[in-house]
mmCIF file of all heavy atoms in Angstrom:
data_model
loop_
_atom_site.group_PDB
_atom_site.id
_atom_site.type_symbol
_atom_site.label_atom_id
_atom_site.label_comp_id
_atom_site.label_asym_id
_atom_site.label_seq_id
_atom_site.Cartn_x
_atom_site.Cartn_y
_atom_site.Cartn_z
ATOM 1 N N GLU A 197 0.814 -1.216 0.000
ATOM 2 C CA GLU A 197 0.000 0.000 0.000
ATOM 3 C C GLU A 197 0.848 1.267 0.000
ATOM 4 O O GLU A 197 0.560 2.207 -0.729
ATOM 5 C CB GLU A 197 -0.951 -0.016 1.189
ATOM 6 C CG GLU A 197 -1.961 -1.149 1.094
ATOM 7 C CD GLU A 197 -2.796 -1.311 2.348
ATOM 8 O OE1 GLU A 197 -3.059 -0.290 3.022
ATOM 9 O OE2 GLU A 197 -3.188 -2.451 2.646
ATOM 10 N N GLY A 198 1.886 1.297 0.835
ATOM 11 C CA GLY A 198 2.721 2.493 0.936
ATOM 12 C C GLY A 198 3.646 2.677 -0.248
ATOM 13 O O GLY A 198 3.787 3.771 -0.784
ATOM 14 N N LEU A 199 4.277 1.596 -0.683
ATOM 15 C CA LEU A 199 5.215 1.669 -1.813
ATOM 16 C C LEU A 199 4.549 1.331 -3.146
ATOM 17 O O LEU A 199 5.191 1.371 -4.184
ATOM 18 C CB LEU A 199 6.407 0.734 -1.571
ATOM 19 C CG LEU A 199 7.278 1.064 -0.364
ATOM 20 C CD1 LEU A 199 8.379 0.026 -0.210
ATOM 21 C CD2 LEU A 199 7.870 2.463 -0.496
ATOM 22 N N LYS A 200 3.274 0.957 -3.082
ATOM 23 C CA LYS A 200 2.485 0.639 -4.282
ATOM 24 C C LYS A 200 3.047 -0.545 -5.080
ATOM 25 O O LYS A 200 2.945 -0.595 -6.288
ATOM 26 C CB LYS A 200 2.366 1.864 -5.195
ATOM 27 C CG LYS A 200 1.868 3.112 -4.516
ATOM 28 C CD LYS A 200 0.438 2.962 -4.072
ATOM 29 C CE LYS A 200 -0.069 4.294 -3.517
ATOM 30 N NZ LYS A 200 -0.989 4.145 -2.443
ATOM 31 N N ASP A 201 3.650 -1.502 -4.366
ATOM 32 C CA ASP A 201 4.132 -2.724 -5.024
ATOM 33 C C ASP A 201 3.145 -3.836 -4.690
ATOM 34 O O ASP A 201 3.334 -4.603 -3.745
ATOM 35 C CB ASP A 201 5.539 -3.080 -4.546
ATOM 36 C CG ASP A 201 6.118 -4.287 -5.268
ATOM 37 O OD1 ASP A 201 5.367 -4.975 -5.995
ATOM 38 O OD2 ASP A 201 7.314 -4.562 -5.097
ATOM 39 N N THR A 202 2.092 -3.923 -5.469
ATOM 40 C CA THR A 202 0.994 -4.841 -5.167
ATOM 41 C C THR A 202 1.334 -6.302 -5.415
ATOM 42 O O THR A 202 0.583 -7.192 -5.014
ATOM 43 C CB THR A 202 -0.255 -4.473 -5.992
ATOM 44 O OG1 THR A 202 0.101 -4.479 -7.371
ATOM 45 C CG2 THR A 202 -0.772 -3.093 -5.600
ATOM 46 N N THR A 203 2.458 -6.582 -6.053
ATOM 47 C CA THR A 203 2.825 -7.965 -6.343
ATOM 48 C C THR A 203 3.748 -8.568 -5.288
ATOM 49 O O THR A 203 3.981 -9.774 -5.297
ATOM 50 C CB THR A 203 3.512 -8.072 -7.713
ATOM 51 O OG1 THR A 203 4.707 -7.304 -7.697
ATOM 52 C CG2 THR A 203 2.588 -7.575 -8.823
ATOM 53 N N TRP A 204 4.278 -7.741 -4.368
ATOM 54 C CA TRP A 204 5.221 -8.250 -3.366
ATOM 55 C C TRP A 204 4.515 -9.182 -2.402
ATOM 56 O O TRP A 204 3.391 -8.936 -1.968
ATOM 57 C CB TRP A 204 5.859 -7.107 -2.585
ATOM 58 C CG TRP A 204 6.931 -7.579 -1.661
ATOM 59 C CD1 TRP A 204 8.234 -7.799 -1.972
ATOM 60 C CD2 TRP A 204 6.797 -7.905 -0.271
ATOM 61 N NE1 TRP A 204 8.915 -8.243 -0.868
ATOM 62 C CE2 TRP A 204 8.066 -8.324 0.196
ATOM 63 C CE3 TRP A 204 5.731 -7.907 0.631
ATOM 64 C CZ2 TRP A 204 8.298 -8.714 1.503
ATOM 65 C CZ3 TRP A 204 5.960 -8.295 1.932
ATOM 66 C CH2 TRP A 204 7.233 -8.693 2.357
ATOM 67 N N LYS A 205 5.179 -10.308 -2.098
ATOM 68 C CA LYS A 205 4.638 -11.277 -1.146
ATOM 69 C C LYS A 205 5.709 -11.599 -0.116
ATOM 70 O O LYS A 205 6.882 -11.741 -0.456
ATOM 71 C CB LYS A 205 4.222 -12.564 -1.855
ATOM 72 C CG LYS A 205 3.074 -12.385 -2.791
ATOM 73 C CD LYS A 205 2.706 -13.694 -3.443
ATOM 74 C CE LYS A 205 1.562 -13.461 -4.407
ATOM 75 N NZ LYS A 205 1.240 -14.646 -5.179
ATOM 76 N N PRO A 206 5.308 -11.775 1.150
ATOM 77 C CA PRO A 206 6.279 -12.178 2.160
ATOM 78 C C PRO A 206 6.786 -13.597 1.873
ATOM 79 O O PRO A 206 6.072 -14.400 1.276
ATOM 80 C CB PRO A 206 5.499 -12.119 3.472
ATOM 81 C CG PRO A 206 4.069 -12.200 3.080
ATOM 82 C CD PRO A 206 3.967 -11.631 1.691
ATOM 83 N N LEU A 207 7.990 -13.876 2.298
ATOM 84 C CA LEU A 207 8.605 -15.181 2.078
ATOM 85 C C LEU A 207 7.736 -16.308 2.632
ATOM 86 O O LEU A 207 7.651 -17.388 2.062
ATOM 87 C CB LEU A 207 9.997 -15.214 2.718
ATOM 88 C CG LEU A 207 10.848 -16.444 2.502
ATOM 89 C CD1 LEU A 207 11.088 -16.702 1.024
ATOM 90 C CD2 LEU A 207 12.174 -16.290 3.231
ATOM 91 N N SER A 208 7.060 -16.046 3.733
ATOM 92 C CA SER A 208 6.231 -17.076 4.361
ATOM 93 C C SER A 208 4.945 -17.341 3.586
ATOM 94 O O SER A 208 4.292 -18.351 3.811
ATOM 95 C CB SER A 208 5.879 -16.680 5.797
ATOM 96 O OG SER A 208 5.051 -15.535 5.780
ATOM 97 N N GLY A 209 4.556 -16.430 2.698
ATOM 98 C CA GLY A 209 3.321 -16.600 1.945
ATOM 99 C C GLY A 209 2.101 -16.037 2.650
ATOM 100 O O GLY A 209 1.097 -15.746 2.031
ATOM 101 N N THR A 210 2.189 -15.902 3.970
ATOM 102 C CA THR A 210 1.072 -15.347 4.739
ATOM 103 C C THR A 210 1.613 -14.345 5.749
ATOM 104 O O THR A 210 2.808 -14.306 6.029
ATOM 105 C CB THR A 210 0.316 -16.448 5.516
ATOM 106 O OG1 THR A 210 1.225 -17.069 6.430
ATOM 107 C CG2 THR A 210 -0.262 -17.488 4.580
ATOM 108 N N THR A 211 0.722 -13.572 6.289
ATOM 109 C CA THR A 211 1.095 -12.626 7.329
ATOM 110 C C THR A 211 -0.058 -12.527 8.318
ATOM 111 O O THR A 211 -1.224 -12.613 7.917
ATOM 112 C CB THR A 211 1.453 -11.251 6.709
ATOM 113 O OG1 THR A 211 2.068 -10.443 7.691
ATOM 114 C CG2 THR A 211 0.264 -10.546 6.134
ATOM 115 N N PRO A 212 0.229 -12.389 9.608
ATOM 116 C CA PRO A 212 -0.852 -12.300 10.594
ATOM 117 C C PRO A 212 -1.759 -11.094 10.338
ATOM 118 O O PRO A 212 -1.332 -10.094 9.767
ATOM 119 C CB PRO A 212 -0.108 -12.147 11.919
ATOM 120 C CG PRO A 212 1.230 -12.752 11.663
ATOM 121 C CD PRO A 212 1.548 -12.422 10.238
ATOM 122 N N CYS A 213 -2.986 -11.207 10.785
ATOM 123 C CA CYS A 213 -3.982 -10.153 10.530
ATOM 124 C C CYS A 213 -4.127 -9.197 11.712
ATOM 125 O O CYS A 213 -5.191 -8.655 11.949
ATOM 126 C CB CYS A 213 -5.325 -10.791 10.192
ATOM 127 S SG CYS A 213 -5.964 -11.825 11.515
ATOM 128 N N PHE A 214 -3.032 -8.970 12.452
ATOM 129 C CA PHE A 214 -3.048 -8.005 13.547
ATOM 130 C C PHE A 214 -1.764 -7.190 13.473
ATOM 131 O O PHE A 214 -0.822 -7.584 12.788
ATOM 132 C CB PHE A 214 -3.205 -8.708 14.910
ATOM 133 C CG PHE A 214 -2.295 -9.889 15.094
ATOM 134 C CD1 PHE A 214 -0.988 -9.728 15.548
ATOM 135 C CD2 PHE A 214 -2.734 -11.169 14.810
ATOM 136 C CE1 PHE A 214 -0.153 -10.819 15.719
ATOM 137 C CE2 PHE A 214 -1.911 -12.264 14.976
ATOM 138 C CZ PHE A 214 -0.609 -12.084 15.436
ATOM 139 N N PRO A 215 -1.692 -6.051 14.165
ATOM 140 C CA PRO A 215 -0.525 -5.168 14.047
ATOM 141 C C PRO A 215 0.800 -5.870 14.351
ATOM 142 O O PRO A 215 0.843 -6.893 15.036
ATOM 143 C CB PRO A 215 -0.805 -4.068 15.056
ATOM 144 C CG PRO A 215 -2.284 -4.045 15.164
ATOM 145 C CD PRO A 215 -2.711 -5.486 15.031
ATOM 146 N N ALA A 216 1.885 -5.297 13.864
ATOM 147 C CA ALA A 216 3.192 -5.949 13.852
ATOM 148 C C ALA A 216 3.903 -6.032 15.190
ATOM 149 O O ALA A 216 4.632 -6.963 15.433
ATOM 150 C CB ALA A 216 4.108 -5.238 12.848
ATOM 151 N N TRP A 217 3.762 -5.110 16.072
ATOM 152 C CA TRP A 217 4.634 -5.002 17.239
ATOM 153 C C TRP A 217 4.067 -5.769 18.416
ATOM 154 O O TRP A 217 2.861 -5.725 18.641
ATOM 155 C CB TRP A 217 4.770 -3.525 17.591
ATOM 156 C CG TRP A 217 5.650 -3.253 18.728
ATOM 157 C CD1 TRP A 217 6.998 -3.117 18.693
ATOM 158 C CD2 TRP A 217 5.262 -3.063 20.080
ATOM 159 N NE1 TRP A 217 7.482 -2.848 19.935
ATOM 160 C CE2 TRP A 217 6.423 -2.819 20.820
ATOM 161 C CE3 TRP A 217 4.061 -3.089 20.766
ATOM 162 C CZ2 TRP A 217 6.421 -2.582 22.185
ATOM 163 C CZ3 TRP A 217 4.054 -2.867 22.116
ATOM 164 C CH2 TRP A 217 5.229 -2.604 22.809
ATOM 165 N N ALA A 218 4.836 -6.383 19.246
ATOM 166 C CA ALA A 218 6.228 -6.823 19.142
ATOM 167 C C ALA A 218 6.251 -8.280 18.676
ATOM 168 O O ALA A 218 5.247 -8.976 18.789
ATOM 169 C CB ALA A 218 6.936 -6.722 20.489
ATOM 170 N N SER A 219 7.391 -8.742 18.220
ATOM 171 C CA SER A 219 7.493 -10.093 17.687
ATOM 172 C C SER A 219 7.417 -11.147 18.785
ATOM 173 O O SER A 219 8.298 -11.235 19.640
ATOM 174 C CB SER A 219 8.803 -10.247 16.922
ATOM 175 O OG SER A 219 9.044 -11.605 16.623
ATOM 176 N N GLY A 220 6.370 -11.945 18.750
ATOM 177 C CA GLY A 220 6.219 -13.028 19.720
ATOM 178 C C GLY A 220 7.300 -14.088 19.571
ATOM 179 O O GLY A 220 7.845 -14.572 20.565
ATOM 180 N N HIS A 221 7.635 -14.448 18.324
ATOM 181 C CA HIS A 221 8.684 -15.443 18.105
ATOM 182 C C HIS A 221 10.018 -14.966 18.670
ATOM 183 O O HIS A 221 10.764 -15.748 19.264
ATOM 184 C CB HIS A 221 8.826 -15.762 16.612
ATOM 185 C CG HIS A 221 7.758 -16.651 16.082
ATOM 186 N ND1 HIS A 221 6.521 -16.180 15.740
ATOM 187 C CD2 HIS A 221 7.749 -17.971 15.830
ATOM 188 C CE1 HIS A 221 5.783 -17.185 15.304
ATOM 189 N NE2 HIS A 221 6.506 -18.290 15.347
ATOM 190 N N SER A 222 10.311 -13.689 18.492
ATOM 191 C CA SER A 222 11.558 -13.133 19.041
ATOM 192 C C SER A 222 11.537 -13.204 20.564
ATOM 193 O O SER A 222 12.555 -13.521 21.185
ATOM 194 C CB SER A 222 11.739 -11.681 18.601
ATOM 195 O OG SER A 222 11.810 -11.592 17.206
#
């Protein structure tokens, strides 16, 4: 949305549907 690159996908293929902070895995 910010960089307007609509084709970019995360390496994992999915992303959680809640805000980013803080990393639980970390």
Side-chain angles (χ1 to χ4, degrees):
E197 296 172 32
L199 297 178
K200 308 293 186 214
D201 184 349
T202 56
T203 62
W204 186 85
K205 294 181 181 174
L207 185 58
S208 66
T210 61
T211 192
C213 60
F214 47 85
W217 182 85
S219 169
H221 283 80
S222 299

